[in-house]
Amino acid sequence: MIYPVVKYGNPVLEKPAETVTVFDHALRKLVEDMFESMYAAHGVGLAAPQIGIAKRLAVIDISFKEDPKAKLVLVNPEIVRTEGKQRGSEGCLSLPEFREEVTRPLRVTVHAQDATGKRFETSGEELLARALVHETDHLNGKLYISHISALKRDLMKRKIRKLMKAGEW
Ligand code: NI
């Protein structure tokens, strides 16, 4: 099932999501649906709040279907280590059409659980590091626009308000 992606302005995107405690069939179905929804939206990462579900769950595939091993399911992820810095363009499916330069760590290590509840550690650099912090931020109610200047953020918000008024958001 493909869920529509919730856009900026919906409060679910700006509150911390709840820890996942039940690892059942429904969770695994939700994970499948999240991959399907992410691919349908042409994204490389999707957090559950972005489909209106306030749970600490995210999926990532920076290969966009090219490499099955790149599919990453993160349940209750925590960033445990960051190293270095990278600056680059970043977007979000909940803020369509916008992109901004964002400084992120170059290497990131995460502790998380998989869809069966098994704990694991994973690390990534460059685009994967960016995706790991971006998606974990979502689960803490944080969007990438909190990492850009107030001036750029206000400009973006003004543009979004205009789009909302025009019924285009
Ligand atoms: Ni996002």
Side-chain angles (χ1 to χ4, degrees):
M1 174 188 165
I2 295 172
Y3 287 86
V5 176
V6 165
K7 287 183 190 171
Y8 174 78
N10 187 315
V12 72
L13 293 173
E14 292 181 272
K15 63 177 187 203
E18 282 175 25
T19 302
V20 174
T21 53
V22 181
F23 296 84
D24 58 0
H25 176 76
L27 181 72
R28 287 185 281 282
K29 170 79 172 92
L30 178 59
V31 166
E32 272 175 41
D33 289 346
M34 283 180 60
F35 275 111
E36 214 183 317
S37 306
M38 178 183 81
Y39 293 134
H42 305 285
V44 294
L46 184 72
Q50 292 184 278
I51 54 166
I53 297 172
K55 285 187 181 173
R56 301 187 74 82
L57 165 64
V59 296
I60 292 174
D61 178 2
I62 59 157
S63 83
F64 199 79
K65 300 193 228 183
E66 285 295 309
D67 177 9
K69 291 195 294 291
K71 284 176 81 173
L72 195 53
V73 177
L74 300 168
V75 183
N76 303 323
E78 301 288 346
I79 306 285
V80 294
R81 194 162 59 247
T82 64
E83 288 169 87
K85 264 186 194 177
Q86 58 172 323
R87 189 157 173 81
S89 173
E90 194 164 319
C92 178
L93 294 175
S94 295
L95 288 148
E97 310 297 327
F98 291 96
R99 292 193 77 82
E100 286 293 338
E101 291 281 310
V102 183
T103 301
R104 296 290 200 177
L106 182 60
R107 274 180 293 276
V108 172
T109 302
V110 173
H111 284 178
Q113 286 166 277
D114 68 13
T116 67
K118 194 176 156 223
R119 289 175 199 281
F120 67 96
E121 179 182 295
T122 191
S123 299
E125 48 185 65
E126 297 179 352
L127 179 58
L128 181 55
R130 186 176 290 278
L132 289 168
V133 286
H134 180 114
E135 300 311 328
T136 306
D137 266 3
H138 269 301
L139 306 181
N140 296 323
K142 216 167 162 186
L143 297 165
Y144 80 87
I145 56 171
S146 64
H147 299 289
I148 66 175
S149 74
L151 196 73
K152 282 184 178 166
R153 188 165 52 245
D154 289 345
L155 187 66
M156 202 190 278
K157 286 183 180 177
R158 269 208 301 277
K159 285 181 185 165
I160 291 169
R161 271 198 295 275
K162 264 190 200 164
L163 290 168
M164 282 173 173
K165 268 188 192 158
E168 290 166 11
W169 187 254

